[in-house]
Amino acid sequence: MVLAMYQLNFREDKDLESLCKKTLSRQDVQVFRDAVKNDYYFQMYYDDLPIWGFVGKVDDHDMKYLLYTHLHFEVLYNEDRVIEITVAAEKSSSVDITEDKEVEVEFRYSVKWKETNKPFDRRMEKYAQYSFHPQHLEVHWFSIINSCVTVLLLTGFLATILMRVLKNDFIKFSRDEEMADDQEETGWKYIHGDVFRYPPHKSLFCAVLGSGSQLLALAIFIFMLALVGVFYPYNRGALYSALVLIYALTSGIAGYYAASYYKQLEGTNWVRNLLLTGCLFCGPLFLTFCFLNTVAIAYNATAALPFGTIMVIVLIWALVTSPLLVLGGIAGKNSKSEFQAPCRTTKFPREIPQLPWYRSTIPQMAMAGFLPFSAIYIELYYIFASVWGHKVYTIYSILFIVFIILIIVTAFITIALIYFQLAVEDHQWWWRSVLCGGSTGFFVHGYCFYYYYARSDMTGFMQTSFYFGYMTCICYGFFLMLGTVGFRASLLFVRHIYRSIKCE
């Protein structure tokens, strides 16, 4: 963002005001011609109202490239308030830049002020068409409802089957208990002595749960602020600032849950666990930011954050994030919670039987991620076009509904797959629940490639590195958040079913 040279003083009309005179070199002409050819446009703000205009146009009749040199601003006002602003290029004042030669150009502008009766609180209505509402909001609602109904029908179908199968299991196990004690047990009851055996790499496991809990809290807080109208639609900086501040303030949640789970799993090195929790998401994000900011500086792009802003972020991390993480960790370590296992764990683990290939981790992740991804697929295009395009997403209510559906579907599909895993006597479900829950992040990352090549016009190293760098971090955050949802839902389910049977 830079300050433009146009002087639009309140209620001061101007006609053919000279902005500047410039001699365009051959290289300048080539750059402008390329911009006109690719439909480049500018975006400016006046009194927080966005305005757009094209750099030039291609005359198809004469095959000429024309550069606009005269802009006409029209501003509507009501008493002492600006209500609306538009900009149009005077076609008659364009300059021919078809040939590679020096061109003398004088840029000019005009301003016309007009009074209107439109109240100030309705001035954003015009811009609804520029946000990613489709032109008919009913179509958007219909597509979302269609997606939600489809997903709910599928989950309802799976729930009915799972409840019926579980009911049959409980009946079967109760009959087995009434029969001879020496009868061999089968199915998920058979592994009751191994199902609550702590997972390997427990420090990393607890760090994933802590970071995922923090990101889930961050998402919920952002949605709450968006739904009550805190974020001004055309001020993206407010959203980014809120993300940084809320992430810093919620770091205590990450420390608490990571240390609490680590204590429940009888971990001893809780300092290392806290360090791992603090670096698990922040580390890759910081390294990605450093690389991309360096790229932006090399390209002299306005996307590069100034040194002062970077120092503010570092101070927030040092003075807010880290202390809250440590305080949360101390609270979690000293909490009275114990791991509640309904069954006693045996001393030696049972051998897992040979299972078909589709029961392995990667096919299970593919199945687990597809259904939640189908719930959010419709909204992804609008979100991507908002983040990486020049449109603005304002219908947070629909997005929040889709987010809730995503959480429910992720929890349910993970529970279903964990049940099927336990039913074939595979008791290593801890990490599997995290991987299956978080697998939607891989689907979203796959969609990133589709959007980049099929929907966007991004080119060049800077755009490509920014897009894939930050989208990879976002998808990684998705993995941590939904992996935590998957594990928590699975833990509740596994505890419930083993508490419902009699285990020796």
Side-chain angles (χ1 to χ4, degrees):
M1 298 286 283
V2 295
L3 191 64
M5 296 167 61
Y6 300 99
Q7 296 294 322
L8 273 64
N9 299 327
F10 189 69
R11 295 181 63 178
E12 183 181 313
D13 290 350
K14 293 183 179 181
D15 190 34
L16 294 176
E17 186 83 9
S18 178
L19 185 73
C20 68
K21 293 182 180 179
K22 186 167 176 64
T23 302
L24 300 180
S25 65
R26 291 180 60 185
Q27 288 79 13
D28 293 334
V29 169
Q30 288 174 359
V31 170
F32 271 118
R33 189 167 61 242
D34 188 55
V36 171
K37 180 181 177 182
N38 289 293
D39 290 330
Y40 271 56
Y41 64 89
F42 60 83
Q43 179 173 350
M44 293 190 286
Y45 293 89
Y46 184 72
D47 193 38
D48 288 335
L49 294 174
I51 45 176
W52 300 270
F54 283 98
V55 174
K57 74 166 185 173
V58 181
D59 190 336
D60 295 326
H61 181 69
D62 298 322
M63 286 309 296
K64 289 183 178 179
Y65 292 92
L66 303 176
L67 175 67
Y68 295 143
T69 58
H70 181 202
L71 295 181
H72 177 71
F73 295 92
E74 188 171 284
V75 194
L76 303 183
Y77 69 95
N78 185 352
E79 296 180 356
D80 62 344
R81 295 292 192 99
V82 174
I83 304 300
E84 189 177 310
I85 182 168
T86 56
V87 62
E90 294 290 340
K91 309 290 193 296
S92 58
S93 301
S94 53
V95 173
D96 187 355
I97 53 170
T98 308
E99 299 178 12
D100 287 337
K101 62 180 183 181
E102 285 192 355
V103 179
E104 292 284 340
V105 179
E106 181 180 8
F107 290 97
R108 295 179 295 183
Y109 67 101
S110 305
V111 186
K112 184 73 173 177
W113 289 81
K114 293 182 179 179
E115 193 168 6
T116 179
N117 295 322
K118 191 173 183 179
F120 180 77
D121 57 3
R122 290 181 54 201
R123 70 176 190 159
M124 293 305 297
E125 289 179 358
K126 172 195 170 187
Y127 298 96
Q129 59 182 309
Y130 295 117
S131 71
F132 249 114
H133 279 241
Q135 295 303 314
H136 302 289
L137 193 59
E138 293 85 357
V139 175
H140 196 63
W141 269 110
F142 178 77
S143 61
I144 294 301
I145 291 169
N146 181 52
S147 171
C148 293
V149 168
T150 304
V151 169
L152 288 172
L153 283 174
L154 283 169
T155 50
F157 180 65
L158 280 171
T160 305
I161 292 176
L162 197 58
M163 292 296 286
R164 175 170 282 183
V165 170
L166 270 176
K167 186 178 179 182
N168 291 337
D169 284 348
F170 289 141
I171 293 171
K172 176 178 175 293
F173 292 148
S174 63
R175 284 176 182 168
D176 289 345
E177 287 164 10
E178 293 170 4
M179 296 172 68
D181 291 337
D182 58 350
Q183 184 174 348
E184 186 178 356
E185 297 173 336
T186 57
W188 52 267
K189 185 184 176 185
Y190 180 59
I191 55 171
H192 62 81
D194 298 284
V195 77
F196 293 104
R197 191 180 305 281
Y198 299 148
H201 314 295
K202 62 177 72 172
S203 184
L204 176 62
F205 185 81
C206 296
V208 168
L209 298 182
S211 298
S213 300
Q214 180 186 5
L215 292 172
L216 183 62
L218 171 67
I220 291 170
F221 279 127
I222 289 292
F223 271 120
M224 292 301 124
L225 291 176
L227 289 172
V228 298
V230 170
F231 300 126
Y232 182 69
Y234 291 91
N235 186 0
R236 296 191 182 192
L239 177 61
Y240 298 146
S241 300
L243 282 169
V244 171
L245 287 173
I246 295 175
Y247 183 83
L249 294 172
T250 54
S251 57
I253 295 174
Y256 177 82
Y257 281 108
S260 176
Y261 278 116
Y262 193 59
K263 184 195 175 189
Q264 290 179 43
L265 301 185
E266 300 174 6
T268 53
N269 196 344
W270 72 279
V271 176
R272 186 185 69 174
N273 176 247
L274 271 186
L275 287 172
L276 190 58
T277 305
C279 297
L280 194 66
F281 183 70
C282 267
L285 184 64
F286 178 73
L287 293 175
T288 304
F289 165 76
C290 289
F291 172 72
L292 296 179
N293 210 54
T294 306
V295 171
I297 292 169
Y299 276 82
N300 292 321
T302 53
L305 282 185
F307 180 74
T309 307
I310 295 173
M311 288 307 299
V312 169
I313 293 174
V314 170
L315 285 173
I316 289 173
W317 182 82
L319 301 177
V320 181
T321 306
S322 300
L324 285 178
L325 181 73
V326 173
L327 288 173
I330 293 170
K333 184 175 79 79
N334 295 330
S335 64
K336 303 293 184 185
S337 57
E338 295 180 0
F339 188 75
Q340 299 166 352
C343 308
R344 196 159 39 86
T345 302
T346 55
K347 191 171 184 180
F348 299 104
R350 291 182 184 273
E351 185 178 349
I352 298 171
Q354 188 72 28
L355 299 173
W357 64 270
Y358 56 84
R359 297 261 185 200
S360 58
T361 305
I362 292 177
Q364 294 281 297
M365 288 173 66
M367 285 187 275
F370 177 74
L371 192 58
F373 176 74
S374 67
I376 63 172
Y377 171 77
I378 294 173
E379 287 302 291
L380 276 183
Y381 169 71
Y382 299 104
I383 296 168
F384 272 63
S386 171
V387 174
W388 298 107
H390 298 281
K391 303 296 182 181
V392 176
Y393 196 101
T394 57
I395 36 182
Y396 300 114
S397 54
I398 292 179
L399 193 59
F400 184 64
I401 292 169
V402 172
F403 179 73
I404 297 299
I405 291 286
L406 172 67
I407 298 297
I408 294 169
V409 173
T410 300
F412 191 82
I413 195 69
T414 309
I415 286 172
L417 288 171
I418 292 304
Y419 169 76
F420 295 134
Q421 180 185 356
L422 297 176
V424 292
E425 300 173 12
D426 181 357
H427 54 78
Q428 295 179 345
W429 64 275
W430 295 73
W431 275 108
R432 180 75 66 87
S433 64
V434 172
L435 293 172
C436 286
S439 59
T440 308
F442 293 102
F443 278 81
V444 176
H445 199 250
Y447 181 83
C448 293
F449 287 89
Y450 165 75
Y451 181 85
Y452 180 82
Y453 290 107
R455 294 295 185 93
S456 78
D457 294 320
M458 285 188 264
T459 54
F461 178 72
M462 181 182 162
Q463 285 186 325
T464 303
S465 60
F466 260 71
Y467 175 79
F468 283 108
Y470 282 127
M471 283 314 303
T472 301
C473 288
I474 291 170
C475 294
Y476 175 53
F478 245 77
F479 171 81
L480 293 175
M481 179 178 73
L482 296 178
T484 302
V485 170
F487 169 74
R488 288 193 170 191
S490 301
L491 181 61
L492 286 171
F493 170 75
V494 173
R495 275 180 176 156
H496 172 72
I497 62 172
Y498 280 97
R499 198 176 285 124
S500 303
I501 61 168
K502 182 182 176 183
C503 297
E504 296 297 333

